[in-house]
Amino acid sequence: MAFSKINQSTVVVVFMLIVTCSSSVFEWNQGIRDRRHAINAADEVHQAEGQFDSADEKVKTNVEGRERRRVPRDVDPGGGGTSSSTDSLCLINDAQAQLKKHTQVYQFNDSNFNLAMIWTGTDGKELLALTTMEYGFFAAQSKLWISKDFGVTFHSINDLIDGAIIRSSNGIFKSSLDPQKIILVSYMEDMAQTQTRLYITEDGGQTFQKKVASFYLDGAIIFHATDPNKLLAHSPYQEFSVWISDDFGKSWTSVRKNVMIYSWGTVEMEPGTLFVATLDNAEKQNDESPSYTMLRSTDYGKSFKKIKDDIYSFGVQGKFVFAAMDGSQGDNSRLLYVSKDDGSTWNPTQLPIVNNDRFFSVLDMNEGMVFMHVDNEGDTGAGTLYTSDADGIVFSVSLEQHLFPEGSTITDFYRVTSVRGVYLASQVESTDQSVHTVITFDRGGVWQPVKAPKDSKCKDSATSCNLQIHNHYSQFKGVNAPSAPLSQPNATGLILAHGNVADSLETHAPDVFVSNDGGYNWTRALVGPHHYTITNHGGLLLAIPAEKDSTNTIKFSYDEGHCWNEYEFYSEPLTITGLLPEPSAKSLNISIWGFGPQDRKWRVITVDFSAILTTECKAANFIEWVPHESNNQKGCLLGLKETFERVKPDSRCRLSYSHQNTPKRSEPCLCNKDDYECDFGFSRDIASDECEVSPGIDPSNLDICINGVEEQITTWGYRKIPGDVCVYGFEPERSFNKLQEKCKNVSSANQEGAPKTAAIVMILLVIVMFSGGLLFLLHRHNKLPCHKQNLESYRYSQLSQGDALDKIIDLETQPTFHDSSDEEMLE
């Protein structure tokens, strides 16, 4: 689903999930695409769990939008600093011969456009391969294979699905709780939109049950967060009904009709929680932008309770429920509210005024704090990044000029999962519209340029010399950066990324850089673009060159990217579409997927790298490592100093499958300014720890509305970062004082409807408190502390929930954790 131009009277709430590389369903397409598109599809595959559409469809998804000003400059490559080595000192004796003995090739007698690989079982040995063919109005029979030996051999099980035509989009659904539970969705023989045929396996593909659901499935099947048997589905063809299954799709029950938006509750809520937004009022159905009634069930849809009238959209994320409501300004404006008690009470978020052609996006929610992007005025493609307090109500400026082109899903915002507190983002230079990379090591408290590798050289004309990291925006602009930044929770401190050393992003082919300390220091590991992955808990890095259309060479490093060996895995070059380690981490099997440039037939090459990592790591192979030891706080981050054990880079050993990358020791730290972010009405300059009053703000008059009561903030400009556990030390004053004046009553339990006079009351209050000139100044800077927002376009990009973060996924290609969206509201 692509974001397109939004009707001014329409509000859109879309949740998009980014997941880690515990990949379960992988799909590629070999029809009508160039080599870069194929590699990009593979990159999305190895970073995400779920089903993927064809690469050419993804290109269609990313070509919309209006970011025409910020173009990376075309500069010759060079100056990347000291790069890694592939000389004789790095070579492993007999590596080629040993790996040849442990390499298996399987060729499918099939040239269907799409190939999906579905890992099943708990030991990583079993996987299904499904090919599908849909091209315009043409569709061919799907073909299904199963492997029980890590993909070394396959045998056909087409008879189990009766030669069905499985949907290429939203056709494969795998439970994240039980990898053996899989549903294949096929078309009916007459293509009727009244029923849906499902092929269900609960034993990893050994057997399938054929069931026919009495509704036409539209979009994704949504899995429950804790119960693998409970499913949620929607059908606009049967009175916009929502259906629930208690037995993994064998039978379905309609629980509500006229449902426009729907979502399971999260793991933080009661297990039976379900939210829906209904359009039951017949008079509203003809409205250009109708409002809905929001209902909540706590018994899996058996009964519902109204929790809010007149909402336009909602989304559920972690402990928060967000809802867009009327801004009460008579111009179809919208106001975002947040609830922390499953919708029983609501509070307005304190964000700047946003007009009709702007949007905001929830980019990350980790450890109870929300990163929110708010679009700037005009078509600038940039906005302001805010961070919330623990209640999700008060937001403070984290990063200005944050790149997020309007009308697209493209963002370079990325949470590093291999170390706490680290994020990457792209920032637009307001003077020349160039784009450069910034990094934060304290969850958005302070942002700074990414340090270039030692001995790096920049062009004489460069105003600064830093590492610029290529992410989705570069891929959208056509830069050959086939893999986005990559990190994994089980590879402590490691980050792989494409980049160039300059004062801004450049258009020439980037190199691959590696950091082993969470982003403080970097080394140029490989020259030119590559498709890469991480396995063996960081003890083995793998990369396939991406400069040519086809290749038969894979590179590998056992010392965090310093030394690289090469291995020729096939007799002739292939167009590579996938490079994936076995997901259970119980083996060192690496699977490479691709097709022959001439015959267009799919091939799977499996390489067992235990042939070169023959010994298991011993105690002598480990060293202690303290994350963030390079900062000024000697390893303290968010009030905690942690010590990990990790393998020495040159050990060349295999980590035990049971190895856990958990801290060996943890100890609290004294508080200082790094443990605080800027409070509401304050902001920091890049690389500064001082919070200064934002322009147009009177710090003595900071009022917000919480639980229906206006409260005045008393602050020195600092607010402790949610999740920070520091003690003593720097403790700035911050308190809330209740005022006599009541603001909009949003705390009533029955939520019978919002009063219509709140905006007038607040404007009168501001007039009394401030002179006319100061009021004009505040309004011009969009900084009225308790002004009711005009939030028109809402885009929730759920890049992270818990520990899941990597890459933006189109909802229609990510069925497994589809949170919530109102797809009917997109033009």
Side-chain angles (χ1 to χ4, degrees):
M1 172 174 34
F3 286 102
S4 55
K5 185 177 180 181
I6 300 173
N7 190 298
Q8 289 188 354
S9 62
T10 299
V11 65
V12 177
V13 174
V14 178
F15 272 80
M16 307 182 70
L17 179 71
I18 302 306
V19 293
T20 57
C21 46
S22 55
S23 303
S24 60
V25 181
F26 318 119
E27 181 170 354
W28 300 278
N29 172 280
Q30 60 165 285
I32 315 177
R33 67 184 176 191
D34 60 17
R35 188 258 329 136
R36 187 178 70 250
H37 293 165
I39 288 293
N40 285 346
D43 174 48
E44 296 188 4
V45 161
H46 96 262
Q47 296 189 45
E49 178 175 10
Q51 176 191 358
F52 290 82
D53 268 337
S54 61
D56 45 304
E57 287 298 321
K58 287 200 169 292
V59 174
K60 293 177 186 176
T61 298
N62 291 336
V63 295
E64 299 186 17
R66 292 177 282 176
E67 65 301 350
R68 56 183 177 274
R69 298 183 178 88
R70 298 153 312 283
V71 179
R73 292 172 295 175
D74 191 359
V75 182
D76 291 335
T82 303
S83 61
S84 59
S85 175
T86 55
D87 59 28
S88 59
L89 295 178
C90 293
L91 297 180
I92 300 176
N93 292 332
D94 299 326
Q96 293 281 332
Q98 293 300 321
L99 289 173
K100 282 289 184 185
K101 296 177 182 178
H102 292 78
T103 298
Q104 303 290 334
V105 178
Y106 187 86
Q107 178 174 318
F108 294 95
N109 187 25
D110 191 326
S111 56
N112 276 353
F113 279 3
N114 302 300
L115 169 67
M117 308 300 297
I118 312 158
W119 294 97
T120 67
T122 57
D123 58 2
K125 292 181 180 180
E126 298 84 16
L127 69 156
L128 298 176
L130 175 72
T131 64
T132 60
M133 169 77 83
E134 285 187 61
Y135 190 71
F137 293 102
F138 173 76
Q141 287 186 351
S142 302
K143 297 178 182 178
L144 185 64
W145 289 267
I146 191 170
S147 173
K148 301 180 181 180
D149 53 9
F150 298 103
V152 175
T153 60
F154 289 83
H155 68 269
S156 174
I157 52 173
N158 283 330
D159 57 308
L160 298 183
I161 60 171
D162 303 325
I165 300 176
I166 305 299
R167 297 182 187 180
S168 292
S169 176
N170 285 324
I172 307 173
F173 298 95
K174 175 186 170 183
S175 169
S176 63
L177 301 176
D178 185 346
Q180 293 194 316
K181 288 179 173 288
I182 300 165
I183 297 178
L184 304 180
V185 182
S186 78
Y187 295 104
M188 302 297 291
E189 288 86 347
D190 57 0
M191 305 299 286
Q193 295 182 339
T194 57
Q195 296 176 315
T196 303
R197 176 172 286 115
L198 306 176
Y199 292 91
I200 302 169
T201 179
E202 298 181 273
D203 54 14
Q206 305 296 324
T207 60
F208 279 87
Q209 299 182 58
K210 182 172 67 174
K211 299 293 181 179
V212 175
S214 58
F215 63 94
Y216 185 81
L217 174 66
D218 180 70
I221 294 174
I222 307 177
F223 291 83
H224 192 270
T226 58
D227 189 336
N229 290 315
K230 294 194 180 297
L231 308 175
L232 183 65
H234 184 251
S235 177
Y237 300 93
Q238 280 79 33
E239 300 181 83
F240 291 91
S241 54
V242 164
W243 300 70
I244 287 181
S245 174
D246 296 323
D247 54 9
F248 198 67
K250 300 181 190 68
S251 62
W252 295 84
T253 302
S254 177
V255 297
R256 197 79 186 188
K257 296 180 179 179
N258 298 320
V259 174
M260 303 295 113
I261 317 171
Y262 53 96
S263 175
W264 285 121
T266 65
V267 293
E268 288 89 348
M269 302 173 183
E270 290 295 323
T273 302
L274 170 65
F275 297 96
V276 299
T278 63
L279 185 59
D280 296 320
N281 189 333
E283 295 180 358
K284 292 183 178 180
Q285 295 180 7
N286 296 322
D287 293 348
E288 185 178 0
S289 178
S291 62
Y292 309 129
T293 300
M294 189 172 180
L295 310 174
R296 180 188 65 210
S297 172
T298 56
D299 53 9
Y300 297 104
K302 293 181 177 64
S303 62
F304 285 88
K305 177 183 179 181
K306 182 171 67 174
I307 58 174
K308 197 66 179 173
D309 276 323
D310 297 324
I311 69 121
Y312 291 87
S313 52
F314 76 85
V316 184
Q317 190 170 15
K319 62 183 179 182
F320 299 115
V321 182
F322 296 99
M325 305 179 191
D326 195 337
S328 300
Q329 304 208 5
D331 57 355
N332 293 318
S333 62
R334 302 289 183 262
L335 177 63
L336 180 69
Y337 280 72
V338 62
S339 173
K340 284 183 60 182
D341 54 10
D342 303 349
S344 296
T345 59
W346 299 85
N347 288 295
T349 57
Q350 303 300 312
L351 289 167
I353 296 173
V354 177
N355 56 24
N356 290 343
D357 62 347
R358 297 163 66 189
F359 68 92
F360 68 81
S361 177
V362 179
L363 293 180
D364 180 66
M365 193 209 72
N366 186 48
E367 298 183 31
M369 186 181 78
V370 175
F371 273 96
M372 177 88 72
H373 172 94
V374 179
D375 190 34
N376 286 343
E377 291 186 3
D379 183 18
T380 66
T384 301
L385 195 61
Y386 290 83
T387 52
S388 77
D389 63 359
D391 294 322
I393 300 172
V394 180
F395 285 81
S396 302
V397 174
S398 176
L399 177 67
E400 295 179 324
Q401 288 296 108
H402 173 243
L403 174 70
F404 200 150
E406 184 179 354
S408 76
T409 61
I410 305 299
T411 176
D412 287 348
F413 185 86
Y414 175 73
R415 180 168 73 91
V416 175
T417 59
S418 60
V419 64
R420 289 190 310 128
V422 181
Y423 293 79
L424 292 165
S426 290
Q427 188 178 42
V428 180
E429 179 59 47
S430 57
T431 56
D432 61 2
Q433 298 299 304
S434 61
V435 179
H436 57 269
T437 305
V438 289
I439 190 170
T440 177
F441 298 102
D442 58 1
R443 295 179 65 195
V446 177
W447 293 84
Q448 61 194 61
V450 181
K451 183 180 177 182
K454 185 179 180 181
D455 301 328
S456 296
K457 296 179 181 179
C458 285
K459 300 293 182 181
D460 294 336
S461 59
T463 57
S464 61
C465 192
N466 300 301
L467 178 60
Q468 311 298 333
I469 291 177
H470 292 274
N471 204 335
H472 304 305
Y473 181 71
S474 296
Q475 294 174 342
F476 173 73
K477 283 297 184 181
V479 176
N480 187 8
S483 293
L486 176 64
S487 59
Q488 294 179 0
N490 62 2
T492 306
L494 271 180
I495 313 173
L496 277 69
H498 282 101
N500 60 269
V501 177
D503 55 359
S504 64
L505 287 173
E506 298 173 345
T507 58
H508 63 76
D511 299 326
V512 177
F513 293 80
V514 175
S515 174
N516 65 359
D517 61 0
Y520 287 94
N521 298 282
W522 295 81
T523 301
R524 185 169 69 171
L526 294 168
V527 176
H530 288 71
H531 178 59
Y532 46 68
T533 190
I534 301 172
T535 189
N536 193 34
H537 302 274
L540 183 64
L541 308 183
L542 301 160
I544 292 180
E547 290 182 301
K548 298 180 180 180
D549 288 343
S550 57
T551 185
N552 59 351
T553 300
I554 186 171
K555 301 176 182 180
F556 59 93
S557 171
Y558 55 83
D559 61 357
E560 299 176 345
H562 295 286
C563 292
W564 292 84
N565 285 253
E566 295 187 0
Y567 170 55
E568 189 174 287
F569 58 82
Y570 195 61
S571 57
E572 60 181 356
L574 299 174
T575 299
I576 304 301
T577 58
L579 169 64
L580 296 162
E582 183 273 307
S584 72
K586 293 184 177 181
S587 75
L588 291 181
N589 282 280
I590 307 300
S591 295
I592 304 168
W593 283 271
F595 57 89
Q598 302 301 322
D599 60 19
R600 314 294 289 179
K601 292 184 178 180
W602 292 101
R603 293 164 176 82
V604 177
I605 297 95
T606 303
V607 184
D608 185 0
F609 277 88
S610 64
I612 58 169
L613 299 180
T614 56
T615 60
E616 191 165 306
C617 298
K618 309 298 182 184
N621 298 121
F622 289 89
I623 57 174
E624 290 190 351
W625 179 70
V626 178
H628 302 286
E629 200 167 24
S630 300
N631 65 14
N632 296 326
Q633 309 305 319
K634 298 181 180 179
C636 287
L637 178 77
L638 301 177
L640 193 65
K641 182 176 181 178
E642 297 177 308
T643 301
F644 289 82
E645 274 193 342
R646 66 180 189 182
V647 178
K648 296 177 183 177
D650 58 350
S651 294
R652 214 184 115 189
C653 59
R654 182 180 66 250
L655 282 166
S656 169
Y657 304 140
S658 61
H659 178 76
Q660 298 290 329
N661 283 348
T662 56
K664 183 180 179 181
R665 293 190 303 276
S666 298
E667 50 189 295
C669 304
L670 290 177
C671 296
N672 57 44
K673 290 183 178 179
D674 289 334
D675 297 293
Y676 291 80
E677 58 191 353
C678 295
D679 209 344
F680 180 63
F682 294 77
S683 59
R684 280 183 172 121
D685 290 331
I686 289 290
S688 171
D689 64 355
E690 298 294 332
C691 292
E692 305 290 346
V693 178
S694 299
I697 289 293
D698 181 357
S700 66
N701 289 282
L702 296 177
D703 306 330
I704 65 171
C705 301
I706 299 179
N707 293 330
V709 178
E710 184 178 0
E711 299 193 356
Q712 185 179 70
I713 305 176
T714 301
T715 178
W716 288 359
Y718 298 87
R719 178 182 70 202
K720 183 176 281 191
I721 299 173
D724 194 297
V725 295
C726 70
V727 295
Y728 310 116
F730 179 66
E731 294 181 341
E733 177 185 351
R734 187 177 194 262
S735 64
F736 292 90
N737 302 311
K738 290 187 178 180
L739 303 181
Q740 295 298 318
E741 196 70 37
K742 299 288 184 179
C743 54
K744 192 169 186 178
N745 183 12
V746 296
S747 60
S748 60
N750 58 11
Q751 299 297 330
E752 290 296 330
K756 298 181 178 179
T757 59
I760 298 175
V761 172
M762 296 312 305
I763 292 175
L764 291 175
L765 178 62
V766 172
I767 291 174
V768 172
M769 295 174 62
F770 301 100
S771 66
L774 181 57
L775 176 61
F776 172 78
L777 180 63
L778 292 175
H779 181 77
R780 199 183 83 175
H781 286 84
N782 288 337
K783 297 294 186 180
L784 293 179
C786 206
H787 195 76
K788 296 303 179 265
Q789 302 90 322
N790 177 16
L791 300 176
E792 175 56 48
S793 301
Y794 298 96
R795 185 189 312 135
Y796 296 117
S797 300
Q798 187 178 333
L799 269 72
S800 174
Q801 180 142 335
D803 288 330
L805 171 70
D806 241 1
K807 190 177 179 97
I808 290 183
I809 308 295
D810 192 312
L811 285 176
E812 292 185 357
T813 64
Q814 174 45 275
T816 306
F817 295 93
H818 180 314
D819 262 317
S820 141
S821 70
D822 185 3
E823 299 181 21
E824 298 299 314
M825 302 174 71
L826 285 175
E827 292 185 342

